[in-house]
Amino acid sequence: MTMSTIRRLLLVVDNPGDARLLREMVNERAASSVTELTHVETLAEAEKHLSEREVDVILLDLALPDAQGMGAVRRAKAAAPRVALVVLTGVDDELLAAQALQEGAQDYLIKSQIEARGLLRALRYAVERKIMEEALFVEKERAQVTLGCIGEAVVCTDIFGKITFLNVAAEQLTGWSLAESAGRPMVEIFRTRDSSGEDSAETTAAVAILRIGAMHLPSCCLLIRRDGVEIPIEESIAAIHNREGEAIGAVIVFRDVSAARATALQIVHSAQHDFLTGLPNRVLLNDRIDQAILMAKRNSAQIALLFMDLDGFKHINDSLGHPIGDELLQSVAKRVVNCVRGADTVSRQGGDEFIVLLSEIQNSEMAAVMATRILKAVATTHAVDKHDLYITASIGVSSYPGDGLNAETLIKNADTAMYQAKENGRQCFRFFKPAMNARAVERQSIEESLSQALQRHEFKLHYQPKVCLRTGAVVGAEALLRWTHPKRGMLSPAQFIPIAEDCGLILPIGRWVLREACKQARAWVDAGQRPITMAVNASAMEFGDDGFLGSLFTVLEETGLESTALEVELTESVLMKRVESSANILRTLRQRGVRVAVDDFGTGYSSLSYLRKLPIDALKVDQSFVRQISTGGDDVAIVTAVINMARSLKLRVIAEGVETRTEMEFLKAHHCDEAQGYYFSKPVPARQFAELLERGVGRMTARRGRSSASAIRHESGAPDVA
Ligand code: C2E
Ligand code: MG
Ligand code: MG
């Protein structure tokens, strides 16, 4: 609406003279656009008119018959809240006029001072003011609603830094209500700290107001809520200006970024940590190693890496299931963490491999102490889901700067040393030595040629006699594998069987050994030789293979060897590894007449009560005990004990590695059943073994000293006759 559009005027005047005068003034002005002038004498009539017709402005006398003073103003406003209102008062009623303005009237006129031009101008201004008021109201309302529902917190201050406004979000974040905070200093309500720990709001707000510009507080700013809780926020501050451009206050807009920050931290964390144990993963470990190297370089110190791998973890995982395996890994992780110092890093590389970084050590002795401590902690029983699990670990140690100058080399060398620890019988630690790398290379080359050895017919079997100590007769043979490597010549089983086990080649090789040994035994029977027992070694992987029994019985069938003529040699650890399934397999073997001997007896840690329950036929006392006999070592007692125990269990006792007459006689005197060793014969090719069968090994009666290996070779062709 513009000024010229005041068309409808409602005149509420009781006095007829006043009414006439006003009407004349309105009509007299040629410029007047008032086209509809309605005159009523009471407020009741006015209310009625307003309810029926639209009006642009009301000219209201405050002395009406049915309403006076403020009562009249209020009723008029109630009847037409959006219509401009101008009141008419008497000369002495300035106070009343002022009150009327406060109640919402846009202007007032003093009756005796009205003249036509002033009247119309007052009416026009009143209408215009009313329109602006309405617009302002809507504007303010919109701002209020917006501030109330946005997620951002808004705080306003005056130029003195006193709070003038808080929206709902700001009330929630600061813990202060608008009512409580209004007029208080901003630093009290909006307390923040930057990362340096200093209160920052006061200075930045003041700076913002003075500089008359917007600014962001440091991105890592913390809001200290009324109750002291610190909330990370992101915020900006802007100054509010008056028309002259002078700062009159500030607006601070901020929001809680704890969720966003937590998500960001979570993402960073999971990229650097192992999900199962929560330990640093290889990414973070590499980073820590790099840092530790820098520090060590600066302080001329050393660092050490302990590469740890659990022994036989796969077996636990396979037999008890992955959930149990996972819990065991978590338990192991905790134990290792408890062993190290705060500055050290324990990380999981995946699977059952862990790496411990010992940052800054004085000497390698410290790494040894730590490795020992970890081995001990890991080997203590783990209570996992009603199981008491026992597991050991092997550790390889490398150190900076001696074994490598960067993370990659240090890890690789610690890994190599760990393999060495495994080969050394596990549950131990080994320091890296450069020679180990050469070994690793050699190992790899052996693995490569091993895969072709079967096709190239590079394997053959040698047979070593087992002699009955009572009669001196050859009662059995142990088939021992020999490999003629195309470049390296003859390799002993110790050099390639562990590798064949690692890469799975032991399965086809083992099947070949079994078939070859059975074929040979059958051939001797066919040639009319005395029947003997053929012993074949089976390693952990062969015995654990699902096809073990199947292929064994097939071979017996195909070669036509009596099943009672076959003996399988298994080490204690092979039997103890899979307690339940071992018992089942052994029972099946026994049912079919195949015999079972426990090889290297005494070197493992069999539970005797357990062995008693297994269908076993013989114990082969390890040669390390036999050696004690001739050297007079402490373990002689053990040999006697083992022999006695085996007899009480009704098992055959075979002594391995018998090299001297003393040993043989001692064993014989203690009622050991059979003996095997260089004293009688080295393992020999089949043809030579057939001669032994025909002639016998002799050696039981004539008195001789300790034989050297060459003497045996020489003598095996001309044995003594029993
Ligand atoms: P083992 O089953 O305990 O075999 C006995 C080992 O002691 C053989 O070593 C044998 O040559 C050696 N030996 C025999 N008498 C004497 C002696 O008087 N003094 C000394 N110092 N040693 C003696 P070999 O042939 O080197 O075999 C080593 C191991 O390799 C065997 O220990 C066995 O565990 C494994 N092995 C051999 N052949 C096979 C095979 O065909 N399959 C599997 N899975 N393992 C095999
Ligand atoms: Mg054996
Ligand atoms: Mg043995």
Side-chain angles (χ1 to χ4, degrees):
M1 185 191 261
T2 63
M3 276 207 231
S4 58
T5 56
I6 306 172
R7 297 174 191 285
R8 294 153 302 188
L9 169 66
L10 176 61
L11 193 58
V12 193
V13 179
D14 169 44
N15 184 307
D18 288 351
R20 196 180 58 244
L21 195 66
L22 289 164
R23 189 190 282 274
E24 278 172 11
M25 281 187 199
V26 170
N27 290 337
E28 160 192 315
R29 295 295 302 170
S32 163
S33 58
V34 176
T35 51
E36 190 183 312
L37 192 157
T38 310
H39 171 226
V40 296
E41 290 174 357
T42 65
L43 200 64
E45 284 173 89
E47 283 167 337
K48 183 165 179 293
H49 182 81
L50 288 167
S51 72
E52 291 163 358
R53 308 272 308 182
E54 284 209 13
V55 163
D56 295 322
V57 61
I58 305 166
L59 191 54
L60 176 70
D61 191 347
L62 293 189
L64 295 170
D66 58 346
Q68 292 83 35
M70 280 311 105
V73 173
R74 279 177 208 134
R75 278 176 65 183
K77 286 262 41 140
R82 300 238 168 77
V83 178
L85 178 67
V86 177
V87 298
L88 289 169
T89 61
V91 171
D92 330 318
D93 283 341
E94 292 264 4
L95 187 68
L96 189 65
Q99 279 179 344
L101 292 186
Q102 264 178 8
E103 284 292 329
Q106 272 63 50
D107 206 351
Y108 68 91
L109 295 166
I110 296 164
K111 280 180 193 168
S112 55
Q113 296 171 359
I114 303 175
E115 42 82 33
R117 186 196 294 260
L119 170 66
L120 281 166
R121 194 192 305 124
L123 291 176
R124 281 200 204 102
Y125 282 156
V127 168
E128 198 182 324
R129 202 170 299 143
K130 181 66 186 169
I131 290 166
M132 273 162 51
E133 274 176 23
E134 280 299 302
L136 213 63
F137 177 82
V138 170
E139 192 65 27
K140 194 174 165 195
E141 190 64 14
R142 183 163 48 216
Q144 290 275 339
V145 170
T146 309
L147 288 173
C149 64
I150 55 169
E152 247 89 358
V154 179
V155 169
C156 301
T157 72
D158 62 15
I159 186 65
F160 306 108
K162 296 254 169 21
I163 298 288
T164 55
F165 176 77
L166 293 186
N167 71 349
V168 178
E171 287 184 326
Q172 282 164 358
L173 274 184
T174 58
W176 288 87
S177 72
L178 172 57
E180 288 170 308
S181 61
R184 285 180 183 258
M186 181 182 82
V187 284
E188 219 177 277
I189 311 303
F190 182 71
R191 283 176 60 204
T192 57
R193 260 188 333 109
D194 59 23
S195 54
S196 67
E198 277 173 28
D199 276 18
S200 58
E202 189 173 26
T203 41
T204 37
V207 166
I209 293 167
L210 287 176
R211 288 203 185 144
I212 318 175
M215 66 181 299
H216 284 274
L217 283 193
S219 60
C220 46
C221 173
L222 289 170
L223 171 73
I224 305 158
R225 208 166 62 186
R226 193 175 185 178
D227 58 9
V229 171
E230 296 186 349
I231 304 169
I233 56 165
E234 232 169 59
E235 54 156 64
S236 55
I237 296 181
I240 307 174
H241 307 118
N242 64 11
R243 276 173 205 257
E244 285 71 43
E246 295 157 350
I248 53 167
V251 182
I252 304 152
V253 180
F254 56 101
R255 64 197 166 88
D256 181 353
V257 292
S258 36
R261 203 160 284 180
T263 313
L265 285 176
Q266 181 63 45
I267 291 169
V268 171
H269 183 88
S270 42
Q272 296 188 326
H273 290 79
D274 165 45
F275 70 97
L276 182 65
T277 57
L279 293 176
N281 62 15
R282 67 178 78 212
V283 177
L284 187 52
L285 175 76
N286 278 8
D287 213 51
R288 300 255 174 100
I289 297 176
D290 291 344
Q291 284 173 21
I293 287 177
L294 279 179
M295 288 295 288
K297 209 183 274 178
R298 203 172 301 153
N299 305 340
S300 311
Q302 292 183 33
I303 69 169
L305 286 194
L306 274 48
F307 197 117
M308 178 178 102
D309 186 284
L310 299 179
D311 303 326
F313 174 73
K314 189 180 173 311
H315 166 56
I316 289 186
N317 233 1
D318 291 347
S319 52
L320 298 177
H322 288 257
I324 302 264
D326 284 354
E327 276 189 58
L328 178 60
L329 287 175
Q330 288 167 336
S331 174
V332 166
K334 271 192 211 122
R335 298 266 174 91
V336 178
V337 168
N338 284 339
C339 288
V340 302
R341 307 162 300 179
D344 300 330
T345 300
V346 179
S347 81
R348 180 171 170 240
Q349 296 290 289
D352 58 349
E353 289 177 353
F354 296 81
I355 292 183
V356 180
L357 160 65
L358 303 177
S359 41
E360 295 220 18
I361 53 169
Q362 265 67 56
N363 47 44
S364 50
E365 189 53 34
M366 265 183 82
V369 167
M370 202 59 97
T372 311
R373 193 188 294 171
I374 291 172
L375 288 177
K376 202 170 153 209
V378 171
T380 312
T381 321
H382 299 259
V384 174
D385 185 44
K386 287 177 260 157
H387 300 272
D388 276 341
L389 298 181
Y390 175 70
I391 190 138
T392 58
S394 302
I395 294 178
V397 186
S398 69
S399 55
Y400 169 91
D403 302 330
L405 298 178
N406 56 42
E408 195 191 346
T409 315
L410 288 170
I411 291 177
K412 197 185 92 219
N413 289 343
D415 186 14
T416 304
M418 186 276 292
Y419 263 99
Q420 205 59 43
K422 292 255 184 212
E423 284 188 0
N424 275 284
R426 306 177 159 193
Q427 216 208 338
C428 61
F429 67 90
R430 284 289 175 271
F431 280 100
F432 172 76
K433 291 192 191 77
M436 288 178 181
N437 265 337
R439 274 193 64 107
V441 170
E442 180 185 290
R443 200 187 153 94
Q444 205 165 15
S445 103
I446 289 181
E447 190 176 321
E448 276 159 23
S449 26
L450 198 57
S451 60
Q452 291 157 11
L454 268 179
Q455 291 100 298
R456 293 188 186 164
H457 305 288
E458 290 165 3
F459 290 123
K460 62 176 187 259
L461 291 183
H462 280 187
Y463 302 90
Q464 189 176 34
K466 288 179 183 168
V467 177
C468 170
L469 285 177
R470 212 164 31 80
T471 64
V474 174
V475 289
E478 178 174 7
L480 294 159
L481 185 58
R482 298 293 178 258
W483 178 23
T484 316
H485 188 281
K487 292 200 191 100
R488 296 160 195 263
M490 181 87 91
L491 293 181
S492 83
Q495 284 173 286
F496 64 87
I497 289 212
I499 301 175
E501 280 229 311
D502 274 357
C503 63
L505 279 169
I506 191 68
L507 293 180
I509 295 175
R511 280 194 291 269
W512 179 86
V513 170
L514 185 70
R515 181 175 300 274
E516 193 64 21
C518 290
K519 228 160 56 184
Q520 184 58 64
R522 173 72 207 196
W524 284 327
V525 173
D526 289 346
Q529 298 284 14
R530 262 181 314 108
I532 55 161
T533 308
M534 176 62 80
V536 174
N537 295 283
S539 60
M541 184 181 256
E542 297 173 73
F543 186 64
D545 183 52
D546 289 339
F548 176 69
L549 283 176
S551 59
L552 186 139
F553 294 131
T554 310
V555 165
L556 282 176
E557 216 166 279
E558 288 175 5
T559 57
L561 185 70
E562 288 288 330
S563 54
T564 47
L566 179 65
E567 184 159 73
V568 179
E569 293 192 5
L570 299 162
T571 60
E572 288 171 86
S573 52
V574 170
L575 285 173
M576 300 306 290
K577 233 177 207 165
R578 316 170 93 221
V579 170
E580 271 313 306
S581 55
S582 290
N584 289 334
I585 296 173
L586 295 195
R587 266 191 289 276
T588 314
L589 288 174
R590 152 96 27 117
Q591 275 163 16
R592 302 283 290 262
V594 176
R595 298 195 209 162
V596 173
V598 179
D599 205 349
D600 303 344
F601 185 76
T603 56
Y605 43 89
S606 319
S607 121
L608 289 179
S609 59
Y610 174 68
L611 271 186
R612 197 193 303 261
K613 288 184 204 142
L614 288 176
I616 290 166
D617 302 274
L619 294 183
K620 293 189 78 178
V621 181
D622 190 70
Q623 48 177 292
S624 55
F625 296 104
V626 173
R627 203 65 63 242
Q628 301 292 317
I629 298 168
S630 44
T631 56
D634 296 338
D635 288 348
V636 180
I638 295 182
V639 185
T640 327
V642 168
I643 296 171
N644 291 338
M645 191 199 70
R647 290 173 69 86
S648 74
L649 293 175
K650 307 230 170 350
L651 299 177
R652 253 162 69 233
V653 186
I654 305 160
E656 290 188 273
V658 178
E659 291 186 353
T660 64
R661 179 160 200 99
T662 320
E663 288 163 4
M664 186 274 286
E665 281 178 344
F666 178 94
L667 293 162
K668 190 178 174 191
H670 286 82
H671 307 290
C672 177
D673 299 291
E674 294 169 25
Q676 174 185 352
Y678 295 170
Y679 178 70
F680 303 103
S681 166
K682 279 202 130 187
V684 290
R687 206 167 34 79
Q688 250 172 287
F689 191 86
E691 289 169 21
L692 278 178
L693 275 179
E694 277 164 22
R695 292 201 304 255
V697 287
R699 324 279 338 228
M700 296 295 290
T701 47
R703 190 146 188 105
R704 289 187 180 238
R706 189 185 174 102
S707 317
S708 72
S710 62
I712 293 158
R713 219 178 353 259
H714 167 71
E715 285 158 6
S716 63
D720 283 353
V721 180

